[in-house]
Amino acid sequence: MRELRELTRKLVSTPSHEDESACGDAIESWLRGETDADVTRDEHGNVVARKGEGTSLALVGHHDVVPPDDSQIDDGEYVVEERDGRLYGRGTADMKGAVAASMLAFRDADPAGELVFASFVGEEVGGEGARGAIADGFAPDHAIVGEGSTNYSGADVTDVVVAHKGRRASTVVARGTASHASEPEAGENAVYRACDAVDVIRDLDAPEADVFGERLSGSVVVTEVDGGSAWNVVPERCEVTVDERTVPGDYADLERVESVEGVEWVVEQDLPPMGCDDEAFAEAVLGAAARAQAGDPELVTKPHATDAGWLAEAGTTCVVCGASEPGEAHTKTESVSLSVVERCYEIYRDAAESWPTT
């Protein structure tokens, strides 16, 4: 589809790593010109369009990107190149290809219920746009979030993700009493207390969950230690950074570190996981995926947090299905298969026309 390729290229060529407004303008203008839908631009910068009536299905993406590599920008413009059936450039995989596919699918579908298109801002910085929209009342019944699900079960297969991990970032703060290092008994060594807390973390069980027979395992790991002020001073403070990958319904028991004297646990960020709560919906999207490709797609899990976590937490039944492949997002050689972008268009349109079932 030439139109889909040109729209993808247009979105990718529009910078949106510092200011998403120009890309939001392009999406809003296209929707107003190409559809008769109710199109809105909220105060956060999100673009939302609606058509049809009944049970709602949302096609969800985001149009912000991470900062480009130097090789992906030239004279202030994003570099976009097409070769060997792939489009290269910042945002091709994550996730303007899927946004373009969603836009055309939204326009072309004759939906079975209410069809919603939503492209959020601020996904790369903690889901700011999604959280703002949800706080303002955005609450579709179901959603297909167009983050990557291609090449999970096999080569050239676009799967359907029914669960993904979340991420809880926290800091363990150990406090002690400073003293001269020649008289260590006069102080309380915060590093030693931090080490005791790390021992607690190493003994924690990682959370696990099962969604429609697919197993999702979390993790908890210490990633940074920072303590002390000088070689001859017993440290009075030490901080330990913890990266925890969470699963639907479960967390590691990090509160246990506070059993160590002088230790406090502080949550810095909590990106929620996603678990689909309606197997019939997951199977319906899987059916659409199967009809759109020669391969045999499967229900799978995904290691990365997405805006589906915020939506699921708010009560929307979600799956993830999109063109990006593992290892493409956020890289200096980021690219997307244009044939898979076309496949996603077929999946989204088919799902919109077949769900909800009557």
Side-chain angles (χ1 to χ4, degrees):
M1 292 178 63
R2 181 177 177 181
E3 184 181 20
L4 178 53
R5 293 179 180 219
E6 290 178 350
L7 181 58
T8 301
R9 178 183 282 273
K10 179 180 179 180
L11 296 183
V12 173
S13 67
T14 306
S16 56
H17 65 282
E18 293 178 331
D19 182 353
E20 302 102 321
S21 58
C23 197
D25 290 344
I27 294 169
E28 180 185 8
S29 176
W30 188 93
L31 289 167
R32 292 189 185 280
E34 292 287 331
T35 77
D36 294 325
D38 176 21
V39 181
T40 60
R41 184 84 166 272
D42 67 20
E43 62 180 11
H44 313 286
N46 302 316
V47 183
V48 179
R50 300 174 183 273
K51 70 178 187 179
E53 296 180 349
T55 300
S56 55
L57 169 65
L59 305 176
V60 176
H62 66 85
H63 53 275
D64 66 312
V65 299
V66 298
D69 183 77
D70 288 345
S71 64
Q72 294 171 318
I73 202 163
D74 182 26
D75 244 3
E77 300 293 328
Y78 280 16
V79 176
V80 186
E81 298 179 345
E82 182 177 341
R83 58 182 184 272
D84 301 324
R86 301 184 70 88
L87 196 67
Y88 288 79
R90 173 59 80 227
T92 49
D94 188 15
M95 56 170 292
K96 291 178 177 178
V99 171
S102 296
M103 291 165 68
L104 264 72
F106 175 84
R107 182 195 68 184
D108 296 345
D110 181 12
E114 182 188 29
L115 184 60
V116 181
F117 166 87
S119 188
F120 294 136
V121 299
E123 190 274 345
E124 301 290 1
V125 289
E128 291 179 352
R131 286 185 289 155
I134 291 166
D136 293 344
F138 184 79
D141 298 304
H142 303 84
I144 301 173
V145 177
E147 296 279 10
S149 68
T150 298
N151 295 356
Y152 276 66
S153 69
D156 195 28
V157 177
T158 299
D159 297 300
V160 176
V161 174
V162 292
H164 71 56
K165 299 178 187 179
R167 176 179 183 266
R168 185 167 67 170
S170 57
T171 303
V172 174
V173 181
R175 294 181 175 85
T177 304
S179 69
H180 197 282
S182 66
E183 297 180 306
E185 67 281 356
E188 292 289 348
N189 196 315
V191 169
Y192 292 168
R193 288 178 169 176
C195 288
D196 290 341
V198 169
D199 285 340
V200 171
I201 294 169
R202 293 178 66 180
D203 287 338
L204 293 177
D205 292 328
E208 293 187 336
D210 188 283
V211 180
F212 309 146
E214 298 300 317
R215 198 68 176 163
L216 190 64
S217 298
S219 60
V220 56
V221 60
V222 170
T223 54
E224 293 179 299
V225 178
D226 182 16
S229 58
W231 65 268
N232 58 351
V233 177
V234 170
E236 64 179 357
R237 183 183 176 91
C238 184
E239 294 190 359
V240 175
T241 301
V242 182
D243 181 285
E244 178 189 2
R245 301 298 159 146
T246 61
V247 300
D250 200 9
Y251 289 85
D253 188 13
L254 276 166
E255 292 183 12
R256 285 175 51 191
V257 299
E258 293 189 333
S259 64
V260 178
E261 184 179 357
V263 168
E264 178 187 12
W265 171 58
V266 180
V267 176
E268 309 289 353
Q269 182 187 64
D270 192 356
L271 306 180
M274 182 276 289
C276 183
D277 59 2
D278 186 340
E279 191 167 7
F281 174 61
E283 291 289 346
V285 179
L286 183 65
R291 290 187 289 273
Q293 58 192 308
D296 296 319
E298 300 178 8
L299 300 181
V300 298
T301 63
K302 183 177 176 70
H304 313 295
T306 76
D307 277 341
W310 300 111
L311 291 167
E313 185 179 60
T316 296
T317 295
C318 295
V319 296
V320 171
C321 183
S324 182
E325 307 152 25
E328 285 296 336
H330 301 188
T331 64
K332 64 182 180 181
T333 57
E334 181 179 351
S335 69
V336 71
S337 165
L338 288 166
S339 65
V340 177
V341 172
E342 293 178 10
R343 178 189 300 164
C344 288
Y345 161 82
E346 297 292 345
I347 295 171
Y348 302 156
R349 180 176 179 178
D350 188 339
E353 292 181 340
S354 58
W355 184 269
T357 57
T358 56

